[in-house]
């Protein structure tokens, strides 16, 4: 069972690794929904741990539809992530019609040059989440994971879509469905019994007082690991 944890710096990263996280999503500005970290933070975190670090590549929190200027920035940030040794990137982009922006996605895949790609919760804002996932299945050689709450604010509310996406993922080579949003040690057993996913994503629920402004509580990660193994 793979547990991914959101981290914001090297201290977070070391604690998460020590207490059982298998992979880290490195993000800054969580009040904006999560944006690209600085060069220095990426370098610091990659050096601090031995588990994979996937870096959020998102220039602003306004939407998941990007201008040409935004796209240039995204591609440059991906190059920096690779240079600094990140194992992967976390990215998502939609057209103004709420569909996967395939044209830009192809450029992102080319620029990532072998790094792992997680397509993030932009998919939850697609006009048809199931069709959006079918599009991503075409790129399973490059997109390894889809982080999603099933099109709802919280994963427990998106169970039916998550089940449908997981079923699709078992039919042919596909990105792994990784449920996220609202997951905690209080509900992970219920969620796992319903979904039987192989990867889960945790954010504020593994922090002191459930706040991103507080440090990671390693014992909570340890508890989650014990509950689902």
């Amino acid at each position: 069972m793979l547990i991914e944890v959101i981290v914001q710096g090297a201290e977070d990263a070391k604690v998460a690794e020590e207490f059982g996280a298998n992979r880290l999503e490195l993000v800054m500005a969580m009040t904006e929904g999560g944006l690209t970290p600085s060069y220095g933070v990426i370098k610091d975190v990659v050096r601090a741990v031995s588990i994979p670090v996937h870096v959020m590549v998102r220039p602003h929190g306004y939407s998941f539809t990007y201008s040409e200027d935004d796209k240039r920035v995204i591609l440059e940030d991906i190059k920096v992530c690779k240079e600094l040794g990140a194992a992967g990137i976390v990215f998502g982009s939609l057209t103004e019609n709420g569909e996967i922006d395939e044209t830009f996605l192809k450029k992102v895949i080319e620029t990532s040059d072998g790094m792992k790609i997680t397509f993030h919760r932009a998919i939850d804002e697609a006009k048809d989440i199931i069709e959006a996932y079918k599009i991503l299945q075409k790129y399973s050689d490059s997109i390894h994971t889809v982080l999603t709450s099933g099109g709802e604010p919280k994963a427990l509310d998106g169970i039916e879509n998550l089940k449908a996406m997981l079923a699709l993922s078992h039919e042919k080579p596909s990105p792994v469905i990784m449920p996220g949003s609202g997951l905690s040690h209080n509900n992970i057993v219920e969620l796992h019994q319903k979904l039987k996913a192989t990867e889960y994503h945790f954010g504020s629920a593994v922090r002191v007082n459930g706040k991103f402004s507080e440090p990671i509580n390693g014992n909570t990660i340890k508890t989650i690991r014990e509950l689902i193994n």
Side-chain angles (χ1 to χ4, degrees):
M1 190 66 60
L2 186 146
I3 294 175
E4 179 178 274
V5 172
I6 293 175
V7 299
Q8 300 177 111
E11 192 58 37
D12 279 357
K14 288 184 283 189
V15 173
E17 179 180 43
E18 178 184 354
F19 284 89
N22 307 103
R23 187 171 67 214
L24 307 176
E25 179 185 277
L26 177 58
V27 188
M28 294 295 285
M30 286 306 299
T31 56
E32 297 287 323
L35 304 180
T36 309
S38 72
Y39 177 107
V41 170
I42 298 170
K43 187 175 183 179
D44 207 26
V45 171
V46 169
R47 287 182 172 183
V49 295
S50 59
I51 58 177
V53 177
H54 288 194
V55 180
M56 174 67 76
V57 180
R58 187 183 180 206
H60 60 69
Y62 312 136
S63 75
F64 297 116
T65 301
Y66 297 119
S67 69
E68 290 305 311
D69 286 342
D70 293 334
K71 291 176 179 179
R72 281 193 293 272
V73 169
I74 287 169
L75 295 178
E76 288 303 314
D77 282 343
I78 291 171
K79 292 175 186 177
V80 169
C81 292
K82 186 169 182 64
E83 289 169 7
L84 294 177
I89 60 165
V90 183
F91 160 83
S93 181
L94 302 175
T95 67
E96 292 183 357
N97 294 325
E99 299 172 342
I100 301 295
D101 187 343
E102 284 191 81
T103 301
F104 185 46
L105 180 59
K106 291 174 183 177
K107 293 180 181 179
V108 166
I109 289 171
E110 180 181 1
T111 304
S112 66
D113 190 26
M115 279 195 295
K116 304 282 188 181
I117 299 175
T118 295
F119 195 95
H120 62 46
R121 292 186 60 215
I123 195 171
D124 293 319
E125 296 190 13
K127 68 177 183 180
D128 186 326
I129 191 171
I130 303 301
E131 290 303 313
Y133 181 61
K134 289 178 180 178
I135 294 294
L136 296 179
Q137 285 182 300
K138 298 192 301 183
Y139 303 95
S140 62
D141 287 345
S142 303
I143 300 173
H144 297 82
T145 309
V146 173
L147 170 60
T148 174
S149 58
E152 299 293 339
K154 303 296 181 185
L156 273 172
D157 298 322
I159 287 289
E160 294 310 312
N161 277 336
L162 288 168
K163 284 182 177 178
M165 295 164 82
L166 282 161
L168 283 171
S169 75
H170 297 149
E171 292 178 0
K172 61 182 179 180
S174 303
V176 174
I177 295 296
M178 178 171 61
S181 185
L183 275 62
S184 74
H185 67 284
N186 293 318
N187 61 29
I188 187 58
V189 172
E190 176 187 357
L191 193 77
H192 184 54
Q193 287 175 342
K194 292 178 177 179
L195 296 178
K196 303 298 183 185
T198 57
E199 301 185 5
Y200 292 101
H201 175 88
F202 295 87
S204 60
V206 298
R207 290 181 177 270
V208 175
N209 297 320
K211 296 180 179 179
F212 278 109
S213 57
E214 301 280 357
I216 285 180
N217 185 336
N219 287 325
T220 302
I221 298 175
K222 183 179 178 181
T223 297
I224 290 167
R225 166 69 61 200
E226 292 170 349
L227 286 171
I228 59 177
N229 274 350

